[in-house]
mmCIF file of all heavy atoms in Angstrom:
data_model
loop_
_atom_site.group_PDB
_atom_site.id
_atom_site.type_symbol
_atom_site.label_atom_id
_atom_site.label_comp_id
_atom_site.label_asym_id
_atom_site.label_seq_id
_atom_site.Cartn_x
_atom_site.Cartn_y
_atom_site.Cartn_z
ATOM 1 N N TYR A 7 171.261 248.209 50.467
ATOM 2 C CA TYR A 7 171.159 246.820 50.842
ATOM 3 C C TYR A 7 169.761 246.483 51.349
ATOM 4 O O TYR A 7 169.197 245.341 51.011
ATOM 5 C CB TYR A 7 172.029 246.682 52.090
ATOM 6 C CG TYR A 7 172.131 245.263 52.631
ATOM 7 C CD1 TYR A 7 173.131 244.492 52.175
ATOM 8 C CD2 TYR A 7 171.293 244.840 53.653
ATOM 9 C CE1 TYR A 7 173.175 243.123 52.679
ATOM 10 C CE2 TYR A 7 171.419 243.631 54.204
ATOM 11 C CZ TYR A 7 172.292 242.692 53.682
ATOM 12 O OH TYR A 7 172.426 241.445 54.158
ATOM 13 N N PHE A 8 168.992 247.476 52.026
ATOM 14 C CA PHE A 8 167.624 247.229 52.475
ATOM 15 C C PHE A 8 166.602 247.660 51.516
ATOM 16 O O PHE A 8 165.381 247.510 51.809
ATOM 17 C CB PHE A 8 167.479 247.891 53.882
ATOM 18 C CG PHE A 8 168.137 247.234 54.954
ATOM 19 C CD1 PHE A 8 169.347 247.716 55.485
ATOM 20 C CD2 PHE A 8 167.611 246.153 55.648
ATOM 21 C CE1 PHE A 8 170.019 247.085 56.575
ATOM 22 C CE2 PHE A 8 168.170 245.574 56.719
ATOM 23 C CZ PHE A 8 169.415 245.999 57.142
ATOM 24 N N HIS A 9 167.090 248.156 50.348
ATOM 25 C CA HIS A 9 166.081 248.651 49.298
ATOM 26 C C HIS A 9 165.168 249.621 49.926
ATOM 27 O O HIS A 9 163.875 249.565 49.770
ATOM 28 C CB HIS A 9 165.391 247.535 48.706
ATOM 29 C CG HIS A 9 166.257 246.374 48.133
ATOM 30 N ND1 HIS A 9 166.993 246.643 46.962
ATOM 31 C CD2 HIS A 9 166.535 245.194 48.631
ATOM 32 C CE1 HIS A 9 167.697 245.574 46.724
ATOM 33 N NE2 HIS A 9 167.374 244.599 47.729
ATOM 34 N N VAL A 10 165.568 250.725 50.641
ATOM 35 C CA VAL A 10 164.807 251.699 51.260
ATOM 36 C C VAL A 10 164.245 252.656 50.168
ATOM 37 O O VAL A 10 165.071 253.271 49.419
ATOM 38 C CB VAL A 10 165.489 252.458 52.350
ATOM 39 C CG1 VAL A 10 164.727 253.554 52.951
ATOM 40 C CG2 VAL A 10 166.166 251.578 53.367
ATOM 41 N N PRO A 11 162.961 252.840 50.022
ATOM 42 C CA PRO A 11 162.369 253.740 49.148
ATOM 43 C C PRO A 11 162.937 255.183 49.331
ATOM 44 O O PRO A 11 163.183 255.586 50.541
ATOM 45 C CB PRO A 11 160.847 253.744 49.326
ATOM 46 C CG PRO A 11 160.728 252.356 49.949
ATOM 47 C CD PRO A 11 161.863 252.090 50.759
ATOM 48 N N LEU A 12 163.126 256.004 48.276
ATOM 49 C CA LEU A 12 163.635 257.316 48.408
ATOM 50 C C LEU A 12 162.889 258.201 49.364
ATOM 51 O O LEU A 12 163.429 259.007 50.061
ATOM 52 C CB LEU A 12 163.770 257.932 47.024
ATOM 53 C CG LEU A 12 164.857 257.402 46.093
ATOM 54 C CD1 LEU A 12 164.611 258.101 44.726
ATOM 55 C CD2 LEU A 12 166.231 257.655 46.627
ATOM 56 N N GLU A 13 161.567 258.135 49.307
ATOM 57 C CA GLU A 13 160.712 258.927 50.151
ATOM 58 C C GLU A 13 160.809 258.727 51.621
ATOM 59 O O GLU A 13 160.450 259.595 52.356
ATOM 60 C CB GLU A 13 159.218 258.917 49.708
ATOM 61 C CG GLU A 13 158.615 257.494 49.887
ATOM 62 C CD GLU A 13 158.734 256.638 48.675
ATOM 63 O OE1 GLU A 13 159.660 256.884 47.841
ATOM 64 O OE2 GLU A 13 157.885 255.729 48.396
ATOM 65 N N TYR A 14 161.461 257.640 52.107
ATOM 66 C CA TYR A 14 161.624 257.309 53.470
ATOM 67 C C TYR A 14 163.053 257.540 53.916
ATOM 68 O O TYR A 14 163.248 257.452 55.195
ATOM 69 C CB TYR A 14 161.236 255.868 53.765
ATOM 70 C CG TYR A 14 159.850 255.413 53.316
ATOM 71 C CD1 TYR A 14 159.516 254.223 52.928
ATOM 72 C CD2 TYR A 14 158.777 256.448 53.303
ATOM 73 C CE1 TYR A 14 158.275 253.852 52.494
ATOM 74 C CE2 TYR A 14 157.565 256.050 52.876
ATOM 75 C CZ TYR A 14 157.259 254.805 52.507
ATOM 76 O OH TYR A 14 155.965 254.504 51.979
ATOM 77 N N GLN A 15 163.962 257.828 53.125
ATOM 78 C CA GLN A 15 165.258 257.965 53.454
ATOM 79 C C GLN A 15 165.664 259.181 54.332
ATOM 80 O O GLN A 15 166.405 259.254 55.282
ATOM 81 C CB GLN A 15 166.235 258.022 52.194
ATOM 82 C CG GLN A 15 166.172 256.620 51.482
ATOM 83 C CD GLN A 15 167.048 256.667 50.263
ATOM 84 O OE1 GLN A 15 167.813 257.587 50.002
ATOM 85 N NE2 GLN A 15 167.113 255.599 49.531
ATOM 86 N N HIS A 16 164.928 260.390 54.028
ATOM 87 C CA HIS A 16 165.264 261.584 54.782
ATOM 88 C C HIS A 16 164.857 261.493 56.158
ATOM 89 O O HIS A 16 165.617 261.875 57.084
ATOM 90 C CB HIS A 16 164.524 262.748 54.041
ATOM 91 C CG HIS A 16 164.711 264.043 54.725
ATOM 92 N ND1 HIS A 16 163.920 264.517 55.921
ATOM 93 C CD2 HIS A 16 165.763 265.008 54.525
ATOM 94 C CE1 HIS A 16 164.397 265.672 56.176
ATOM 95 N NE2 HIS A 16 165.477 265.984 55.445
ATOM 96 N N ARG A 17 163.591 260.939 56.438
ATOM 97 C CA ARG A 17 163.150 260.788 57.788
ATOM 98 C C ARG A 17 164.046 259.830 58.599
ATOM 99 O O ARG A 17 164.297 260.046 59.844
ATOM 100 C CB ARG A 17 161.614 260.384 57.792
ATOM 101 C CG ARG A 17 161.058 260.327 59.149
ATOM 102 C CD ARG A 17 159.491 260.002 59.038
ATOM 103 N NE ARG A 17 158.795 261.116 58.307
ATOM 104 C CZ ARG A 17 158.231 262.061 58.968
ATOM 105 N NH1 ARG A 17 158.168 262.139 60.323
ATOM 106 N NH2 ARG A 17 157.595 262.992 58.346
ATOM 107 N N THR A 18 164.364 258.799 57.987
ATOM 108 C CA THR A 18 165.329 257.871 58.581
ATOM 109 C C THR A 18 166.668 258.443 59.010
ATOM 110 O O THR A 18 167.073 258.355 60.193
ATOM 111 C CB THR A 18 165.639 256.613 57.763
ATOM 112 O OG1 THR A 18 164.367 256.100 57.260
ATOM 113 C CG2 THR A 18 166.411 255.575 58.461
ATOM 114 N N LEU A 19 167.182 259.261 58.107
ATOM 115 C CA LEU A 19 168.485 260.004 58.496
ATOM 116 C C LEU A 19 168.190 261.083 59.545
ATOM 117 O O LEU A 19 169.090 261.308 60.323
ATOM 118 C CB LEU A 19 169.024 260.607 57.125
ATOM 119 C CG LEU A 19 169.771 259.869 56.189
ATOM 120 C CD1 LEU A 19 170.265 260.511 55.005
ATOM 121 C CD2 LEU A 19 170.937 259.059 56.926
ATOM 122 N N PHE A 20 167.055 261.682 59.594
ATOM 123 C CA PHE A 20 166.792 262.572 60.606
ATOM 124 C C PHE A 20 166.891 261.988 62.026
ATOM 125 O O PHE A 20 167.645 262.476 62.778
ATOM 126 C CB PHE A 20 165.338 263.170 60.421
ATOM 127 C CG PHE A 20 164.893 263.976 61.578
ATOM 128 C CD1 PHE A 20 165.239 265.399 61.453
ATOM 129 C CD2 PHE A 20 164.177 263.527 62.626
ATOM 130 C CE1 PHE A 20 164.744 266.276 62.557
ATOM 131 C CE2 PHE A 20 163.855 264.296 63.731
ATOM 132 C CZ PHE A 20 164.117 265.686 63.665
ATOM 133 N N TRP A 21 166.232 260.877 62.168
ATOM 134 C CA TRP A 21 166.366 260.173 63.540
ATOM 135 C C TRP A 21 167.801 259.605 63.764
ATOM 136 O O TRP A 21 168.188 259.596 64.848
ATOM 137 C CB TRP A 21 165.292 259.219 63.631
ATOM 138 C CG TRP A 21 163.898 259.729 63.673
ATOM 139 C CD1 TRP A 21 162.999 259.714 62.718
ATOM 140 C CD2 TRP A 21 163.299 260.460 64.758
ATOM 141 N NE1 TRP A 21 161.757 260.358 63.160
ATOM 142 C CE2 TRP A 21 162.117 260.910 64.331
ATOM 143 C CE3 TRP A 21 163.800 260.866 66.035
ATOM 144 C CZ2 TRP A 21 161.178 261.632 65.234
ATOM 145 C CZ3 TRP A 21 162.986 261.600 66.872
ATOM 146 C CH2 TRP A 21 161.654 261.966 66.463
ATOM 147 N N GLY A 22 168.361 259.186 62.693
ATOM 148 C CA GLY A 22 169.741 258.681 62.770
ATOM 149 C C GLY A 22 170.732 259.713 63.287
ATOM 150 O O GLY A 22 171.553 259.525 64.163
ATOM 151 N N ILE A 23 170.506 260.996 62.741
ATOM 152 C CA ILE A 23 171.426 262.086 63.082
ATOM 153 C C ILE A 23 171.059 262.523 64.509
ATOM 154 O O ILE A 23 171.958 262.973 65.168
ATOM 155 C CB ILE A 23 171.353 263.211 62.008
ATOM 156 C CG1 ILE A 23 172.056 262.753 60.793
ATOM 157 C CG2 ILE A 23 171.889 264.452 62.556
ATOM 158 C CD1 ILE A 23 171.856 263.634 59.600
ATOM 159 N N LEU A 24 169.800 262.552 64.868
ATOM 160 C CA LEU A 24 169.437 263.040 66.317
ATOM 161 C C LEU A 24 170.083 261.998 67.218
ATOM 162 O O LEU A 24 170.591 262.500 68.219
ATOM 163 C CB LEU A 24 167.954 262.938 66.354
ATOM 164 C CG LEU A 24 167.317 263.530 67.670
ATOM 165 C CD1 LEU A 24 167.767 264.888 67.951
ATOM 166 C CD2 LEU A 24 165.817 263.301 67.752
ATOM 167 N N GLY A 25 170.067 260.720 66.973
ATOM 168 C CA GLY A 25 170.680 259.824 67.906
ATOM 169 C C GLY A 25 172.285 260.008 67.923
ATOM 170 O O GLY A 25 172.830 259.896 68.924
ATOM 171 N N ALA A 26 172.765 260.310 66.674
ATOM 172 C CA ALA A 26 174.145 260.483 66.559
ATOM 173 C C ALA A 26 174.654 261.778 67.496
ATOM 174 O O ALA A 26 175.794 261.692 68.027
ATOM 175 C CB ALA A 26 174.611 260.690 65.096
ATOM 176 N N LEU A 27 173.836 262.789 67.452
ATOM 177 C CA LEU A 27 174.183 263.957 68.201
ATOM 178 C C LEU A 27 174.316 263.618 69.726
ATOM 179 O O LEU A 27 175.214 264.178 70.348
ATOM 180 C CB LEU A 27 173.148 265.138 67.936
ATOM 181 C CG LEU A 27 173.134 265.631 66.545
ATOM 182 C CD1 LEU A 27 171.980 266.735 66.464
ATOM 183 C CD2 LEU A 27 174.453 266.340 66.230
ATOM 184 N N VAL A 28 173.295 262.856 70.232
ATOM 185 C CA VAL A 28 173.304 262.513 71.576
ATOM 186 C C VAL A 28 174.585 261.614 71.908
ATOM 187 O O VAL A 28 175.312 261.902 72.925
ATOM 188 C CB VAL A 28 172.037 261.734 71.964
ATOM 189 C CG1 VAL A 28 172.144 261.192 73.403
ATOM 190 C CG2 VAL A 28 170.858 262.569 71.725
ATOM 191 N N LEU A 29 174.880 260.527 71.113
ATOM 192 C CA LEU A 29 175.977 259.752 71.353
ATOM 193 C C LEU A 29 177.368 260.454 71.316
ATOM 194 O O LEU A 29 178.263 260.334 72.058
ATOM 195 C CB LEU A 29 176.043 258.586 70.314
ATOM 196 C CG LEU A 29 174.901 257.639 70.551
ATOM 197 C CD1 LEU A 29 174.844 256.565 69.267
ATOM 198 C CD2 LEU A 29 175.094 256.798 71.741
ATOM 199 N N ARG A 30 177.455 261.365 70.216
ATOM 200 C CA ARG A 30 178.672 262.145 70.142
ATOM 201 C C ARG A 30 178.866 263.156 71.233
ATOM 202 O O ARG A 30 180.031 263.364 71.643
ATOM 203 C CB ARG A 30 178.647 262.882 68.785
ATOM 204 C CG ARG A 30 178.843 261.899 67.543
ATOM 205 C CD ARG A 30 179.002 262.626 66.237
ATOM 206 N NE ARG A 30 179.125 261.669 65.211
ATOM 207 C CZ ARG A 30 179.973 261.803 64.110
ATOM 208 N NH1 ARG A 30 180.829 262.842 64.194
ATOM 209 N NH2 ARG A 30 180.125 260.912 63.205
ATOM 210 N N GLY A 31 177.765 263.637 71.705
ATOM 211 C CA GLY A 31 177.864 264.526 72.830
ATOM 212 C C GLY A 31 178.457 263.881 74.136
ATOM 213 O O GLY A 31 179.305 264.384 74.795
ATOM 214 N N ALA A 32 178.013 262.607 74.330
ATOM 215 C CA ALA A 32 178.509 261.831 75.405
ATOM 216 C C ALA A 32 179.958 261.487 75.227
ATOM 217 O O ALA A 32 180.759 261.530 76.087
ATOM 218 C CB ALA A 32 177.673 260.515 75.551
ATOM 219 N N MET A 33 180.339 261.128 73.922
ATOM 220 C CA MET A 33 181.729 260.791 73.632
ATOM 221 C C MET A 33 182.633 261.973 73.773
ATOM 222 O O MET A 33 183.746 261.787 74.244
ATOM 223 C CB MET A 33 181.869 260.202 72.283
ATOM 224 C CG MET A 33 181.101 258.790 72.087
ATOM 225 S SD MET A 33 181.031 258.260 70.385
ATOM 226 C CE MET A 33 182.698 257.729 70.214
ATOM 227 N N ILE A 34 182.164 263.185 73.386
ATOM 228 C CA ILE A 34 183.067 264.358 73.537
ATOM 229 C C ILE A 34 183.285 264.678 74.935
ATOM 230 O O ILE A 34 184.397 265.104 75.350
ATOM 231 C CB ILE A 34 182.320 265.494 72.771
ATOM 232 C CG1 ILE A 34 182.436 265.364 71.233
ATOM 233 C CG2 ILE A 34 182.999 266.821 73.195
ATOM 234 C CD1 ILE A 34 181.596 266.322 70.469
ATOM 235 N N GLY A 35 182.144 264.538 75.732
ATOM 236 C CA GLY A 35 182.344 264.844 77.226
ATOM 237 C C GLY A 35 183.357 263.817 77.767
ATOM 238 O O GLY A 35 184.237 264.290 78.613
ATOM 239 N N ALA A 36 183.301 262.625 77.429
ATOM 240 C CA ALA A 36 184.217 261.632 77.961
ATOM 241 C C ALA A 36 185.619 261.914 77.476
ATOM 242 O O ALA A 36 186.660 261.821 78.289
ATOM 243 C CB ALA A 36 183.747 260.209 77.639
ATOM 244 N N GLY A 37 185.755 262.203 76.248
ATOM 245 C CA GLY A 37 187.141 262.538 75.691
ATOM 246 C C GLY A 37 187.719 263.716 76.345
ATOM 247 O O GLY A 37 188.892 263.769 76.731
ATOM 248 N N ALA A 38 186.965 264.789 76.576
ATOM 249 C CA ALA A 38 187.444 265.992 77.156
ATOM 250 C C ALA A 38 187.790 265.715 78.568
ATOM 251 O O ALA A 38 188.943 266.217 79.132
ATOM 252 C CB ALA A 38 186.445 267.070 77.117
ATOM 253 N N ALA A 39 187.132 264.857 79.299
ATOM 254 C CA ALA A 39 187.394 264.566 80.722
ATOM 255 C C ALA A 39 188.730 263.765 80.781
ATOM 256 O O ALA A 39 189.579 263.990 81.670
ATOM 257 C CB ALA A 39 186.259 263.753 81.331
ATOM 258 N N LEU A 40 188.908 262.815 79.801
ATOM 259 C CA LEU A 40 190.076 262.066 79.732
ATOM 260 C C LEU A 40 191.414 262.849 79.558
ATOM 261 O O LEU A 40 192.379 262.678 80.159
ATOM 262 C CB LEU A 40 189.975 260.901 78.769
ATOM 263 C CG LEU A 40 189.102 259.644 79.086
ATOM 264 C CD1 LEU A 40 188.845 258.797 77.835
ATOM 265 C CD2 LEU A 40 189.629 258.910 80.214
ATOM 266 N N ILE A 41 191.207 263.782 78.535
ATOM 267 C CA ILE A 41 192.456 264.591 78.249
ATOM 268 C C ILE A 41 192.758 265.540 79.344
ATOM 269 O O ILE A 41 193.858 265.724 79.619
ATOM 270 C CB ILE A 41 192.129 265.386 76.901
ATOM 271 C CG1 ILE A 41 192.068 264.390 75.737
ATOM 272 C CG2 ILE A 41 193.209 266.455 76.628
ATOM 273 C CD1 ILE A 41 191.688 265.063 74.465
ATOM 274 N N HIS A 42 191.710 266.008 80.084
ATOM 275 C CA HIS A 42 192.001 266.956 81.230
ATOM 276 C C HIS A 42 192.569 266.200 82.300
ATOM 277 O O HIS A 42 193.453 266.763 83.036
ATOM 278 C CB HIS A 42 190.678 267.553 81.643
ATOM 279 C CG HIS A 42 190.710 268.486 82.751
ATOM 280 N ND1 HIS A 42 191.324 269.701 82.787
ATOM 281 C CD2 HIS A 42 190.451 268.284 84.112
ATOM 282 C CE1 HIS A 42 191.352 270.329 83.864
ATOM 283 N NE2 HIS A 42 190.787 269.417 84.792
ATOM 284 N N ARG A 43 192.131 264.901 82.563
ATOM 285 C CA ARG A 43 192.687 264.166 83.671
ATOM 286 C C ARG A 43 193.962 263.541 83.328
ATOM 287 O O ARG A 43 194.918 263.479 84.275
ATOM 288 C CB ARG A 43 191.640 263.055 84.054
ATOM 289 C CG ARG A 43 191.968 262.265 85.257
ATOM 290 C CD ARG A 43 191.843 262.938 86.509
ATOM 291 N NE ARG A 43 192.100 262.122 87.674
ATOM 292 C CZ ARG A 43 191.267 261.466 88.303
ATOM 293 N NH1 ARG A 43 190.019 261.338 87.868
ATOM 294 N NH2 ARG A 43 191.670 260.710 89.412
ATOM 295 N N PHE A 44 194.085 263.005 82.160
ATOM 296 C CA PHE A 44 195.318 262.318 81.723
ATOM 297 C C PHE A 44 195.866 262.844 80.486
ATOM 298 O O PHE A 44 195.335 262.641 79.389
ATOM 299 C CB PHE A 44 195.057 260.740 81.546
ATOM 300 C CG PHE A 44 194.413 260.109 82.707
ATOM 301 C CD1 PHE A 44 193.032 259.792 82.676
ATOM 302 C CD2 PHE A 44 195.049 259.837 83.857
ATOM 303 C CE1 PHE A 44 192.379 259.155 83.633
ATOM 304 C CE2 PHE A 44 194.399 259.119 84.951
ATOM 305 C CZ PHE A 44 193.079 258.911 84.886
ATOM 306 N N SER A 45 196.881 263.630 80.615
ATOM 307 C CA SER A 45 197.440 264.408 79.371
ATOM 308 C C SER A 45 197.903 263.391 78.323
ATOM 309 O O SER A 45 197.952 263.802 77.150
ATOM 310 C CB SER A 45 198.550 265.314 79.758
ATOM 311 O OG SER A 45 199.593 264.661 80.435
ATOM 312 N N TRP A 46 198.353 262.231 78.686
ATOM 313 C CA TRP A 46 198.889 261.212 77.696
ATOM 314 C C TRP A 46 197.805 260.657 76.861
ATOM 315 O O TRP A 46 198.114 260.121 75.814
ATOM 316 C CB TRP A 46 199.591 260.146 78.445
ATOM 317 C CG TRP A 46 198.764 259.522 79.588
ATOM 318 C CD1 TRP A 46 198.935 259.786 80.853
ATOM 319 C CD2 TRP A 46 197.782 258.438 79.551
ATOM 320 N NE1 TRP A 46 198.180 259.008 81.706
ATOM 321 C CE2 TRP A 46 197.373 258.106 80.737
ATOM 322 C CE3 TRP A 46 197.255 257.734 78.346
ATOM 323 C CZ2 TRP A 46 196.443 257.246 81.031
ATOM 324 C CZ3 TRP A 46 196.199 256.873 78.649
ATOM 325 C CH2 TRP A 46 195.848 256.531 79.961
ATOM 326 N N THR A 47 196.553 260.982 77.171
ATOM 327 C CA THR A 47 195.382 260.466 76.321
ATOM 328 C C THR A 47 195.516 261.068 74.817
ATOM 329 O O THR A 47 195.100 260.390 73.934
ATOM 330 C CB THR A 47 194.046 260.858 76.944
ATOM 331 O OG1 THR A 47 193.991 260.455 78.313
ATOM 332 C CG2 THR A 47 192.891 260.212 76.083
ATOM 333 N N ILE A 48 196.081 262.215 74.824
ATOM 334 C CA ILE A 48 196.242 262.829 73.390
ATOM 335 C C ILE A 48 197.131 261.925 72.551
ATOM 336 O O ILE A 48 196.898 261.875 71.301
ATOM 337 C CB ILE A 48 196.795 264.193 73.590
ATOM 338 C CG1 ILE A 48 196.525 265.093 72.402
ATOM 339 C CG2 ILE A 48 198.299 264.226 73.846
ATOM 340 C CD1 ILE A 48 195.060 265.487 72.107
ATOM 341 N N TYR A 49 198.114 261.251 73.124
ATOM 342 C CA TYR A 49 198.945 260.341 72.349
ATOM 343 C C TYR A 49 198.168 259.131 71.969
ATOM 344 O O TYR A 49 198.419 258.627 70.825
ATOM 345 C CB TYR A 49 200.183 260.027 73.125
ATOM 346 C CG TYR A 49 201.096 261.175 73.484
ATOM 347 C CD1 TYR A 49 201.317 261.526 74.846
ATOM 348 C CD2 TYR A 49 201.626 261.938 72.548
ATOM 349 C CE1 TYR A 49 202.099 262.585 75.218
ATOM 350 C CE2 TYR A 49 202.399 262.999 72.900
ATOM 351 C CZ TYR A 49 202.598 263.396 74.175
ATOM 352 O OH TYR A 49 203.369 264.499 74.548
ATOM 353 N N VAL A 50 197.268 258.653 72.904
ATOM 354 C CA VAL A 50 196.497 257.482 72.467
ATOM 355 C C VAL A 50 195.494 257.832 71.290
ATOM 356 O O VAL A 50 195.419 257.042 70.337
ATOM 357 C CB VAL A 50 195.616 257.087 73.657
ATOM 358 C CG1 VAL A 50 194.660 255.943 73.329
ATOM 359 C CG2 VAL A 50 196.510 256.659 74.823
ATOM 360 N N PHE A 51 195.015 259.039 71.360
ATOM 361 C CA PHE A 51 194.122 259.521 70.242
ATOM 362 C C PHE A 51 194.923 259.574 68.892
ATOM 363 O O PHE A 51 194.479 259.290 67.888
ATOM 364 C CB PHE A 51 193.447 260.793 70.567
ATOM 365 C CG PHE A 51 192.324 260.719 71.561
ATOM 366 C CD1 PHE A 51 191.744 261.830 72.065
ATOM 367 C CD2 PHE A 51 191.823 259.560 71.903
ATOM 368 C CE1 PHE A 51 190.738 261.844 73.017
ATOM 369 C CE2 PHE A 51 190.776 259.404 72.846
ATOM 370 C CZ PHE A 51 190.275 260.531 73.378
ATOM 371 N N GLY A 52 196.160 260.128 69.042
ATOM 372 C CA GLY A 52 196.988 260.225 67.861
ATOM 373 C C GLY A 52 197.282 258.841 67.248
ATOM 374 O O GLY A 52 197.126 258.702 66.040
#
C-alpha cells in the first residue's frame, strides 16, 4: 500500500516487532492478573 522499498522493510519490521514485544508483555501481564483474580475470565477469552 505504501510502496515501501525492499531494502527498508527489514529495519521497519525490526522496530515494529520490538514495539510488539513491549505491548504483548503488558497484555500478557494484564491477562495473567485477570485470570488469577477472576477465574471466569478464561470463559471470556474462550
Side-chain angles (χ1 to χ4, degrees):
Y7 184 91
F8 285 98
H9 306 290
V10 180
L12 289 175
E13 59 268 28
Y14 304 148
Q15 292 181 8
H16 181 274
R17 187 173 293 264
T18 305
L19 282 179
F20 172 89
W21 291 108
I23 286 173
L24 184 61
L27 292 176
V28 175
L29 291 173
R30 290 186 180 223
M33 294 175 71
I34 288 171
L40 283 172
I41 292 176
H42 179 73
R43 182 75 180 271
F44 308 105
S45 60
W46 49 263
T47 305
I48 200 73
Y49 299 118
V50 176
F51 284 171

